[in-house]
Amino acid sequence: MRTTTGERLVDLAVTVFLWGFRILIVAMIVVGTYVTIRNGKYTGEQWTDFVVFGVAQGSIYALIALGYTMVYGILRMINFAHGDIFMTGAFGGYFAATWLNGIGFVDANPFFGLVIPILFAMVVSASIAMLVERIAYRPLRNAPRLVPLISAFGASFFIEYAFRGFFGPGKYAYPTVKALTGSWNIFGIELLKTQVIVIIAALIMMIAMYIVVMYTKVGKAMRAVSENKDTAALMGIDVNSVIVFTFAFGAAMAGAAGVLFALVYRQVDFFMGFTPGVKAFTAAVLGGIGNIPGAMVGGLVLGVFESVGPSLFLEGLGIPRAYQLKDAIAYTMLVMILLFRPQGILGERLSKQKA
């Protein structure tokens, strides 16, 4: 295709601008990091706290991001209601934990007092996700891509404001688990018990999900449907059942993440799914949307950068109240990754036909 001189000049100007933007951001990161380290404002123990908190937060993002990436891998659509599915799990876990705490079960059996709300939250989120798939997405499966995207926004707002109508706009305080108060000394490092539990629980669930997807019959069916639905159907795979399972499985992970989030931040409300949902979507893109290990890596990287970045990069540049800009750090990092590596950290595993 022939291009005019004007179009070539515009392309050159855009390329120069993008490279200038990349160099500027990298220079700011390097200078900010150097100045912060040289000033020695934070001790090694404080940097460790930043990293551990970032890993805990990133583990929650990763669990939510798995739902985004699994649905995208199967249907090639972004389920923007997934953040609200996460919120429904947090509410389910809150009500279960409150009831168990009221009868003294949590203090008497802290392990089951934590596991039962997580399981209940997973069931609540999976049930609502299956309803959303059946009502809002399945009838539009063969429609242009923009149509289910709009339906996803509608489903998101419906869930959000339905919960506001049922439970009000206020915040609910998640019950205190006495066994999780305080800290543990691990290899000479004081770590909050809640953060340790969140990291371990998220790691176990991510490993379990990876094993299911990679080494079980239903996981193979999911990957076959992801490659080509028509061919999978000809080979005897029930495509609808696989899609429903994918929604339910991803939602169950989000529901569990909702309880872990409530353990860290100690509150639940109807709007709590928005920001973590957007961050998890960012993590999925960062890792390579459609790629399950990528979602895990993207969540952890995002969480650590969001926790460490403001103190490491911005304070060295003399920016006051840098921690309030942690969201800017997260999204700037996303832009940088997409500029340098548009397919994400681990890349998107797509066949040429699907791409």
Side-chain angles (χ1 to χ4, degrees), residues 69-76 145 213-214 218-233 235 237 239 242-243 246 290-291 348-355:
T69 210
M70 287 173 67
V71 169
Y72 182 84
I74 292 284
L75 293 178
R76 324 308 300 171
R145 288 189 180 187
V213 172
M214 298 305 296
V218 69
K220 291 177 182 175
M222 290 168 64
R223 287 185 281 135
V225 172
S226 173
E227 285 296 323
N228 191 303
K229 294 188 195 59
D230 295 333
T231 304
M235 296 177 70
I237 295 173
V239 174
V242 171
I243 291 174
T246 303
N291 186 306
E348 185 182 12
R349 294 177 180 172
L350 287 176
S351 65
K352 291 182 179 178
Q353 183 181 355
K354 288 193 302 181

Short mmCIF file of all heavy atoms in Angstrom, two decimals, residues 69-76 145 213-214 218-233 235 237 239 242-243 246 290-291 348-355:
data_model
loop_
_atom_site.label_atom_id
_atom_site.label_comp_id
_atom_site.label_asym_id
_atom_site.label_seq_id
_atom_site.Cartn_x
_atom_site.Cartn_y
_atom_site.Cartn_z
N THR A 69 -8.58 -13.78 32.43
CA THR A 69 -7.79 -14.40 31.37
C THR A 69 -8.41 -15.71 30.90
O THR A 69 -8.33 -16.05 29.71
CB THR A 69 -6.33 -14.59 31.86
OG1 THR A 69 -5.45 -14.51 30.76
CG2 THR A 69 -6.11 -15.87 32.61
N MET A 70 -9.06 -16.46 31.80
CA MET A 70 -9.71 -17.71 31.39
C MET A 70 -10.89 -17.44 30.47
O MET A 70 -11.06 -18.10 29.44
CB MET A 70 -10.16 -18.49 32.62
CG MET A 70 -9.02 -19.12 33.40
SD MET A 70 -9.58 -19.86 34.94
CE MET A 70 -10.56 -21.21 34.32
N VAL A 71 -11.73 -16.47 30.83
CA VAL A 71 -12.89 -16.14 29.98
C VAL A 71 -12.42 -15.60 28.64
O VAL A 71 -12.97 -15.96 27.59
CB VAL A 71 -13.81 -15.14 30.71
CG1 VAL A 71 -14.87 -14.59 29.75
CG2 VAL A 71 -14.47 -15.81 31.90
N TYR A 72 -11.39 -14.76 28.67
CA TYR A 72 -10.87 -14.24 27.40
C TYR A 72 -10.31 -15.38 26.55
O TYR A 72 -10.49 -15.42 25.33
CB TYR A 72 -9.78 -13.20 27.65
CG TYR A 72 -9.25 -12.60 26.37
CD1 TYR A 72 -9.91 -11.53 25.76
CD2 TYR A 72 -8.12 -13.11 25.75
CE1 TYR A 72 -9.45 -11.00 24.57
CE2 TYR A 72 -7.65 -12.58 24.56
CZ TYR A 72 -8.31 -11.52 23.98
OH TYR A 72 -7.86 -11.00 22.79
N GLY A 73 -9.63 -16.31 27.19
CA GLY A 73 -9.06 -17.43 26.44
C GLY A 73 -10.11 -18.28 25.77
O GLY A 73 -9.89 -18.81 24.68
N ILE A 74 -11.29 -18.38 26.38
CA ILE A 74 -12.35 -19.23 25.83
C ILE A 74 -13.23 -18.46 24.84
O ILE A 74 -13.53 -18.95 23.75
CB ILE A 74 -13.24 -19.75 26.99
CG1 ILE A 74 -12.45 -20.72 27.86
CG2 ILE A 74 -14.49 -20.43 26.44
CD1 ILE A 74 -12.25 -22.08 27.26
N LEU A 75 -13.65 -17.26 25.21
CA LEU A 75 -14.65 -16.53 24.42
C LEU A 75 -14.10 -15.32 23.69
O LEU A 75 -14.85 -14.67 22.95
CB LEU A 75 -15.81 -16.07 25.33
CG LEU A 75 -16.67 -17.18 25.92
CD1 LEU A 75 -17.74 -16.58 26.84
CD2 LEU A 75 -17.34 -17.98 24.81
N ARG A 76 -12.85 -14.97 23.89
CA ARG A 76 -12.26 -13.77 23.28
C ARG A 76 -13.01 -12.52 23.68
O ARG A 76 -13.21 -11.61 22.86
CB ARG A 76 -12.19 -13.88 21.76
CG ARG A 76 -11.89 -15.25 21.20
CD ARG A 76 -10.68 -15.89 21.77
NE ARG A 76 -9.46 -15.13 21.54
CZ ARG A 76 -8.31 -15.42 22.12
NH1 ARG A 76 -8.23 -16.41 22.99
NH2 ARG A 76 -7.24 -14.73 21.86
N ARG A 145 -18.28 -8.39 18.64
CA ARG A 145 -17.57 -8.33 19.94
C ARG A 145 -18.03 -7.18 20.82
O ARG A 145 -18.00 -7.28 22.04
CB ARG A 145 -16.07 -8.23 19.71
CG ARG A 145 -15.45 -9.50 19.19
CD ARG A 145 -13.96 -9.40 19.19
NE ARG A 145 -13.34 -10.63 18.69
CZ ARG A 145 -12.04 -10.86 18.71
NH1 ARG A 145 -11.22 -9.94 19.18
NH2 ARG A 145 -11.56 -11.98 18.24
N VAL A 213 -6.28 -27.01 34.99
CA VAL A 213 -6.30 -26.59 33.58
C VAL A 213 -5.33 -27.42 32.73
O VAL A 213 -5.63 -27.76 31.59
CB VAL A 213 -5.96 -25.08 33.48
CG1 VAL A 213 -5.80 -24.67 32.01
CG2 VAL A 213 -7.06 -24.26 34.12
N MET A 214 -4.18 -27.78 33.29
CA MET A 214 -3.15 -28.42 32.48
C MET A 214 -3.19 -29.95 32.51
O MET A 214 -2.76 -30.59 31.55
CB MET A 214 -1.76 -27.95 32.95
CG MET A 214 -1.52 -26.45 32.81
SD MET A 214 -1.78 -25.83 31.12
CE MET A 214 -0.50 -26.70 30.24
N VAL A 218 -11.16 -32.07 32.19
CA VAL A 218 -11.92 -30.84 31.94
C VAL A 218 -10.97 -29.71 31.52
O VAL A 218 -11.34 -28.85 30.70
CB VAL A 218 -12.74 -30.45 33.19
CG1 VAL A 218 -11.83 -30.02 34.35
CG2 VAL A 218 -13.73 -29.34 32.87
N GLY A 219 -9.75 -29.72 32.04
CA GLY A 219 -8.78 -28.72 31.64
C GLY A 219 -8.41 -28.86 30.17
O GLY A 219 -8.27 -27.87 29.45
N LYS A 220 -8.24 -30.11 29.73
CA LYS A 220 -7.94 -30.34 28.31
C LYS A 220 -9.11 -29.89 27.44
O LYS A 220 -8.92 -29.33 26.34
CB LYS A 220 -7.65 -31.83 28.09
CG LYS A 220 -6.35 -32.29 28.72
CD LYS A 220 -6.15 -33.79 28.54
CE LYS A 220 -4.85 -34.24 29.23
NZ LYS A 220 -4.68 -35.71 29.18
N ALA A 221 -10.34 -30.13 27.93
CA ALA A 221 -11.52 -29.67 27.18
C ALA A 221 -11.53 -28.14 27.09
O ALA A 221 -11.86 -27.57 26.03
CB ALA A 221 -12.79 -30.17 27.86
N MET A 222 -11.16 -27.49 28.18
CA MET A 222 -11.10 -26.01 28.17
C MET A 222 -10.10 -25.52 27.14
O MET A 222 -10.35 -24.59 26.37
CB MET A 222 -10.71 -25.49 29.56
CG MET A 222 -11.79 -25.66 30.61
SD MET A 222 -11.17 -25.36 32.28
CE MET A 222 -10.73 -23.64 32.18
N ARG A 223 -8.95 -26.18 27.10
CA ARG A 223 -7.93 -25.74 26.14
C ARG A 223 -8.35 -26.04 24.71
O ARG A 223 -8.06 -25.28 23.79
CB ARG A 223 -6.59 -26.40 26.48
CG ARG A 223 -5.96 -25.79 27.73
CD ARG A 223 -4.59 -26.36 28.02
NE ARG A 223 -4.68 -27.65 28.65
CZ ARG A 223 -3.97 -28.71 28.33
NH1 ARG A 223 -3.10 -28.63 27.35
NH2 ARG A 223 -4.11 -29.85 28.97
N ALA A 224 -9.07 -27.14 24.52
CA ALA A 224 -9.56 -27.47 23.17
C ALA A 224 -10.59 -26.44 22.71
O ALA A 224 -10.54 -25.97 21.57
CB ALA A 224 -10.18 -28.87 23.18
N VAL A 225 -11.51 -26.07 23.61
CA VAL A 225 -12.51 -25.05 23.26
C VAL A 225 -11.84 -23.71 22.99
O VAL A 225 -12.25 -22.96 22.11
CB VAL A 225 -13.57 -24.93 24.38
CG1 VAL A 225 -14.51 -23.76 24.13
CG2 VAL A 225 -14.36 -26.22 24.50
N SER A 226 -10.79 -23.43 23.75
CA SER A 226 -10.06 -22.18 23.55
C SER A 226 -9.43 -22.13 22.16
O SER A 226 -9.39 -21.08 21.53
CB SER A 226 -8.99 -22.05 24.64
OG SER A 226 -8.16 -20.94 24.38
N GLU A 227 -8.95 -23.28 21.69
CA GLU A 227 -8.32 -23.31 20.37
C GLU A 227 -9.34 -23.15 19.26
O GLU A 227 -9.17 -22.36 18.34
CB GLU A 227 -7.54 -24.61 20.19
CG GLU A 227 -6.24 -24.67 20.97
CD GLU A 227 -5.24 -23.62 20.48
OE1 GLU A 227 -5.18 -23.36 19.27
OE2 GLU A 227 -4.54 -23.05 21.33
N ASN A 228 -10.42 -23.96 19.32
CA ASN A 228 -11.44 -23.89 18.27
C ASN A 228 -12.72 -24.55 18.77
O ASN A 228 -12.75 -25.76 18.98
CB ASN A 228 -10.94 -24.58 17.00
CG ASN A 228 -11.85 -24.31 15.81
OD1 ASN A 228 -13.04 -24.59 15.86
ND2 ASN A 228 -11.29 -23.75 14.76
N LYS A 229 -13.77 -23.76 18.95
CA LYS A 229 -15.02 -24.30 19.51
C LYS A 229 -15.65 -25.32 18.59
O LYS A 229 -16.14 -26.36 19.04
CB LYS A 229 -16.01 -23.15 19.76
CG LYS A 229 -15.62 -22.17 20.81
CD LYS A 229 -16.80 -21.23 21.06
CE LYS A 229 -16.35 -20.01 21.81
NZ LYS A 229 -15.30 -19.25 21.11
N ASP A 230 -15.68 -25.04 17.30
CA ASP A 230 -16.36 -25.94 16.36
C ASP A 230 -15.66 -27.29 16.31
O ASP A 230 -16.31 -28.34 16.34
CB ASP A 230 -16.38 -25.31 14.96
CG ASP A 230 -17.23 -24.04 14.94
OD1 ASP A 230 -18.16 -23.95 15.77
OD2 ASP A 230 -16.96 -23.15 14.11
N THR A 231 -14.35 -27.28 16.23
CA THR A 231 -13.61 -28.54 16.21
C THR A 231 -13.78 -29.30 17.52
O THR A 231 -13.93 -30.53 17.52
CB THR A 231 -12.11 -28.26 15.96
OG1 THR A 231 -11.98 -27.51 14.75
CG2 THR A 231 -11.34 -29.55 15.85
N ALA A 232 -13.78 -28.57 18.62
CA ALA A 232 -13.96 -29.22 19.92
C ALA A 232 -15.33 -29.88 19.99
O ALA A 232 -15.47 -31.01 20.50
CB ALA A 232 -13.82 -28.18 21.04
N ALA A 233 -16.36 -29.21 19.46
CA ALA A 233 -17.71 -29.78 19.46
C ALA A 233 -17.75 -31.05 18.60
O ALA A 233 -18.39 -32.05 18.96
CB ALA A 233 -18.71 -28.75 18.96
N MET A 235 -15.46 -33.11 18.18
CA MET A 235 -14.74 -34.18 18.89
C MET A 235 -15.51 -34.65 20.12
O MET A 235 -15.00 -35.44 20.92
CB MET A 235 -13.36 -33.68 19.31
CG MET A 235 -12.47 -33.35 18.12
SD MET A 235 -10.87 -32.70 18.59
CE MET A 235 -10.10 -34.16 19.28
N ILE A 237 -16.93 -32.70 22.61
CA ILE A 237 -16.85 -31.87 23.82
C ILE A 237 -18.10 -31.01 23.92
O ILE A 237 -18.51 -30.38 22.93
CB ILE A 237 -15.59 -30.99 23.79
CG1 ILE A 237 -14.34 -31.87 23.84
CG2 ILE A 237 -15.59 -30.00 24.94
CD1 ILE A 237 -13.04 -31.11 23.65
N VAL A 239 -19.42 -27.90 24.52
CA VAL A 239 -18.83 -26.56 24.58
C VAL A 239 -19.53 -25.70 25.63
O VAL A 239 -18.87 -24.99 26.41
CB VAL A 239 -18.88 -25.88 23.19
CG1 VAL A 239 -18.41 -24.43 23.29
CG2 VAL A 239 -18.03 -26.66 22.20
N VAL A 242 -18.38 -26.56 29.10
CA VAL A 242 -17.01 -26.11 29.34
C VAL A 242 -16.97 -24.61 29.61
O VAL A 242 -16.27 -24.14 30.51
CB VAL A 242 -16.12 -26.47 28.14
CG1 VAL A 242 -14.74 -25.82 28.28
CG2 VAL A 242 -15.97 -27.98 28.02
N ILE A 243 -17.76 -23.85 28.84
CA ILE A 243 -17.78 -22.39 29.05
C ILE A 243 -18.36 -22.06 30.43
O ILE A 243 -17.83 -21.21 31.15
CB ILE A 243 -18.58 -21.72 27.93
CG1 ILE A 243 -17.81 -21.84 26.60
CG2 ILE A 243 -18.83 -20.25 28.25
CD1 ILE A 243 -18.56 -21.33 25.40
N THR A 246 -15.83 -22.78 32.99
CA THR A 246 -14.77 -21.75 32.99
C THR A 246 -15.20 -20.52 33.77
O THR A 246 -14.44 -19.98 34.59
CB THR A 246 -14.43 -21.36 31.54
OG1 THR A 246 -14.04 -22.52 30.83
CG2 THR A 246 -13.30 -20.34 31.51
N GLY A 290 -5.06 -14.11 28.35
CA GLY A 290 -5.27 -15.40 27.73
C GLY A 290 -4.27 -16.43 28.23
O GLY A 290 -4.39 -17.61 27.92
N ASN A 291 -3.30 -15.99 29.00
CA ASN A 291 -2.23 -16.86 29.47
C ASN A 291 -2.33 -16.99 31.00
O ASN A 291 -2.17 -15.99 31.72
CB ASN A 291 -0.87 -16.25 29.06
CG ASN A 291 0.28 -17.14 29.40
OD1 ASN A 291 0.44 -17.57 30.53
ND2 ASN A 291 1.10 -17.44 28.40
N GLU A 348 0.89 -13.83 24.62
CA GLU A 348 -0.41 -14.45 24.48
C GLU A 348 -0.28 -15.66 23.57
O GLU A 348 0.22 -15.55 22.46
CB GLU A 348 -1.40 -13.46 23.86
CG GLU A 348 -2.82 -13.99 23.78
CD GLU A 348 -3.71 -12.98 23.11
OE1 GLU A 348 -3.19 -12.02 22.52
OE2 GLU A 348 -4.92 -13.17 23.15
N ARG A 349 -0.71 -16.79 24.07
CA ARG A 349 -0.62 -18.00 23.28
C ARG A 349 -1.84 -18.12 22.37
O ARG A 349 -2.88 -18.64 22.74
CB ARG A 349 -0.54 -19.22 24.18
CG ARG A 349 0.75 -19.24 24.99
CD ARG A 349 0.78 -20.40 25.92
NE ARG A 349 2.01 -20.42 26.69
CZ ARG A 349 2.24 -21.25 27.69
NH1 ARG A 349 1.34 -22.12 28.04
NH2 ARG A 349 3.37 -21.21 28.33
N LEU A 350 -1.73 -17.60 21.18
CA LEU A 350 -2.84 -17.64 20.23
C LEU A 350 -2.41 -18.34 18.95
O LEU A 350 -1.30 -18.17 18.48
CB LEU A 350 -3.28 -16.22 19.85
CG LEU A 350 -4.03 -15.42 20.89
CD1 LEU A 350 -4.27 -14.03 20.36
CD2 LEU A 350 -5.34 -16.08 21.22
N SER A 351 -3.31 -19.11 18.44
CA SER A 351 -3.04 -19.67 17.12
C SER A 351 -3.25 -18.57 16.10
O SER A 351 -3.91 -17.58 16.35
CB SER A 351 -3.98 -20.83 16.83
OG SER A 351 -5.30 -20.35 16.75
N LYS A 352 -2.68 -18.74 14.89
CA LYS A 352 -2.83 -17.72 13.87
C LYS A 352 -4.30 -17.53 13.51
O LYS A 352 -4.76 -16.43 13.21
CB LYS A 352 -2.02 -18.10 12.65
CG LYS A 352 -0.52 -18.03 12.87
CD LYS A 352 0.23 -18.38 11.61
CE LYS A 352 1.74 -18.29 11.85
NZ LYS A 352 2.50 -18.67 10.65
N GLN A 353 -5.07 -18.64 13.53
CA GLN A 353 -6.46 -18.54 13.16
C GLN A 353 -7.22 -17.65 14.13
O GLN A 353 -8.02 -16.82 13.75
CB GLN A 353 -7.09 -19.92 13.14
CG GLN A 353 -8.55 -19.91 12.68
CD GLN A 353 -9.14 -21.30 12.69
OE1 GLN A 353 -8.43 -22.28 12.95
NE2 GLN A 353 -10.41 -21.39 12.38
N LYS A 354 -6.96 -17.81 15.45
CA LYS A 354 -7.67 -17.00 16.44
C LYS A 354 -7.18 -15.57 16.43
O LYS A 354 -7.93 -14.64 16.65
CB LYS A 354 -7.48 -17.59 17.83
CG LYS A 354 -8.26 -18.86 18.03
CD LYS A 354 -8.33 -19.26 19.46
CE LYS A 354 -6.98 -19.44 20.05
NZ LYS A 354 -7.05 -19.84 21.45
N ALA A 355 -5.88 -15.37 16.22
CA ALA A 355 -5.35 -14.02 16.20
C ALA A 355 -5.91 -13.23 15.04
O ALA A 355 -6.14 -12.06 15.14
CB ALA A 355 -3.84 -14.08 16.13
#
